[in-house]
Amino acid sequence: MKFELQHTDTKSNARAGKITTDHGEILTPIFMPVGTLGSVKGVHQRELKDDIKAQIILGNTYHLYLRPGLDILEKAGGLHKFNGWDKPILTDSGGFQVFSLSDNRKLTEEGCIFRSHIDGSKHIFTPENVVDTQRIIGADIIMALDECTPGTAEYKYAKKSMEMTHRWLDRGLKHFDETEPKYGYTQTFFPIVQGCTYKDLRQQSAEFIASKGREGNAIGGLAVGEPAEVMYEMIEVVNEILPKDKPRYLMGVGTPVNILEAIERGVDMFDCVMPTRNGRNGMLFTQNGIMNMRNKKWADDFSPIDPDGTSYVDHAYTKAYLRHLFIAEELLAMQIASIHNLAFYLWLVTEARKQIIAGTFAEWKRSMVVKLSTRL
């Protein structure tokens, strides 16, 4: 993987760049739709490419490991062949899923012992076998095993957790460097900065991760219960240390406003389930604000879902029609909303890139934050 930093905003730390992988180029800043089980819920690959204009998608190691399982994925020739997506894929390590299954897991120095949410069977993730698992899945970018602490974790616990994540990283890196990809194309390994909401821990972790000299770096453990302003502060602390010539991936974040604030602070890559999960529940993101499509006010509004979104809105669908579909519990409602929200997110980061290159990002971002925060 290669990264070219193409432009930096003169009034902020926002950046425009290009990541090159064996499955294609990614122009940053970029949002990655989440394909947990090898599919973005309710969305065809054709729609991902043509309507949403996704350049890279994310798969989840924990879920793919359990279903369909590594044997099937290896026989298929990896996830690209299995799901028909021929552009880049990133896989997380499963660390966040294990964190969210706190009642069914036990952390040890060796790794994480957990029980499947499907059938209760017992498994273990170690820094080494998570590398092997992601080798078999075949993602272009794979992540280190880490522990994601809650945003409210006490200092002592956060420090202990960070130190274990660092020890796991050394083991994972050693194993990654001693093994080869399985399907004839290269894979890249990203370490993850942890440290909860404590400035000194975040600094220590960022310095440790930066010292490993990998092709890219991730920021984890944010948007997990802490206030947004604290999250922004932690991003600033970390990005002061992470190398500027490597892409920075903020994991699991977030709202459109979160994304713009993080871009301003020097983040290049994002993923989040919000556009699809919220879309399935009737929440739509637009250039002028947020809409709840179940509200009666849309019942006789025959204007397009996002009148300003000429580049990503299917104007065949009106607000009134989409509301009708949600009230009638038609599956098409969830599909339209998911495609719309993902297309909006990709439009947002693409437009941010254009504004960075044009030198107008700071002013554009300020006006967009006001509009994106509005409830319509």
Side-chain angles (χ1 to χ4, degrees):
M1 190 201 84
K2 296 178 181 177
F3 178 65
E4 177 189 352
L5 183 58
Q6 298 173 314
H7 199 91
T8 301
D9 184 51
T10 57
K11 298 179 182 178
S12 71
N13 290 317
R15 303 129 55 87
K18 181 173 73 173
I19 298 169
T20 305
T21 76
D22 288 351
H23 279 104
E25 294 180 350
I26 306 157
L27 300 178
T28 64
I30 191 64
F31 180 83
M32 301 178 284
V34 176
T36 302
L37 281 157
S39 72
V40 178
K41 290 189 190 305
V43 181
H44 293 108
Q45 311 291 25
R46 171 182 50 78
E47 292 159 338
L48 279 171
K49 290 180 181 178
D50 297 344
D51 301 330
I52 295 166
K53 297 179 174 57
Q55 300 175 48
I56 175 174
I57 62 172
L58 182 144
N60 183 265
T61 293
Y62 167 86
H63 288 284
L64 291 167
Y65 164 81
L66 294 175
R67 287 187 301 200
L70 301 185
D71 288 346
I72 296 295
L73 287 167
E74 190 163 17
K75 286 178 183 177
L79 185 57
H80 288 92
K81 294 285 182 66
F82 188 61
N83 72 357
W85 178 256
D86 59 3
K87 293 188 175 187
I89 295 175
L90 180 148
T91 44
D92 63 15
S93 68
F96 179 79
Q97 280 64 40
V98 168
F99 151 74
S100 64
L101 297 169
S102 56
D103 294 336
N104 292 309
R105 53 88 164 161
K106 178 182 178 182
L107 296 178
T108 70
E109 188 65 33
E110 177 61 17
C112 178
I113 302 164
F114 63 93
R115 292 196 177 274
S116 165
H117 71 286
I118 301 167
D119 61 9
S121 56
K122 190 175 181 180
H123 306 268
I124 183 169
F125 276 173
T126 69
E128 294 85 3
N129 72 19
V130 160
V131 169
D132 293 335
T133 295
Q134 292 179 90
R135 289 285 201 201
I136 292 170
I137 294 171
D140 301 87
I141 300 172
I142 73 176
M143 307 303 298
L145 182 65
D146 64 330
E147 184 191 1
C148 177
T149 55
T152 55
E154 293 183 356
Y155 183 89
K156 183 177 179 181
Y157 182 87
K159 185 174 189 295
K160 182 180 178 182
S161 171
M162 178 198 73
E163 290 169 347
M164 184 172 68
T165 289
H166 291 173
R167 293 192 296 273
W168 283 357
L169 174 61
D170 281 338
R171 287 167 52 192
L173 280 172
K174 182 175 185 294
H175 192 67
F176 178 83
D177 289 340
E178 291 173 350
T179 56
E180 296 292 333
K182 301 184 71 67
Y183 308 117
Y185 54 85
T186 57
Q187 292 177 295
T188 299
F189 186 99
F190 278 25
I192 304 172
V193 176
Q194 287 291 349
C196 197
T197 58
Y198 302 102
K199 182 177 178 180
D200 63 323
L201 297 184
R202 285 286 174 179
Q203 289 171 329
Q204 289 177 42
S205 189
E207 288 167 358
F208 185 83
I209 268 60
S211 74
K212 302 303 172 183
R214 309 314 288 196
E215 291 94 338
N217 300 293
I219 306 168
L222 293 175
V224 287
E226 80 284 357
E229 290 307 318
V230 174
M231 174 175 69
Y232 302 147
E233 181 188 359
M234 293 303 104
I235 293 170
E236 291 174 6
V237 167
V238 168
N239 281 349
E240 280 293 313
I241 297 167
L242 291 181
K244 291 180 171 55
D245 61 344
K246 307 287 178 65
R248 301 160 175 163
Y249 164 32
L250 180 60
M251 305 180 74
V253 178
T255 68
V257 170
N258 291 159
I259 287 173
L260 290 185
E261 294 288 357
I263 289 173
E264 185 176 51
R265 291 163 171 82
V267 174
D268 307 294
M269 303 169 69
F270 303 88
D271 80 283
C272 190
V273 298
M274 185 172 285
T276 47
R277 178 178 291 172
N278 289 33
R280 292 194 301 274
N281 290 311
M283 177 184 284
L284 265 69
F285 299 99
T286 76
Q287 288 189 49
N288 293 304
I290 302 166
M291 297 190 296
N292 179 351
M293 296 314 301
R294 296 181 183 275
N295 283 353
K296 189 174 176 57
K297 66 187 293 184
W298 310 122
D300 60 354
D301 187 331
F302 303 108
S303 64
I305 294 168
D306 188 352
D308 293 332
T310 54
S311 62
Y312 57 87
V313 170
D314 188 332
H315 286 268
Y317 301 125
T318 65
K319 297 183 182 77
Y321 179 61
L322 186 54
R323 178 186 183 272
H324 156 69
L325 294 178
F326 271 110
I327 297 302
E329 297 185 351
E330 283 288 332
L331 294 177
L332 183 58
M334 295 185 284
Q335 187 176 16
I336 292 171
S338 296
I339 292 169
H340 167 86
N341 280 349
L342 286 172
F344 171 74
Y345 268 60
L346 266 296
W347 171 85
L348 185 69
V349 293
T350 301
E351 187 63 25
R353 175 184 169 85
K354 291 177 182 176
Q355 298 288 340
I356 291 166
I357 293 170
T360 52
F361 173 79
E363 297 82 359
W364 173 80
K365 177 254 174 183
R366 276 196 296 272
S367 66
M368 284 301 299
V369 164
V370 173
K371 291 194 286 186
L372 295 174
S373 303
T374 302
R375 292 274 178 168
L376 298 176

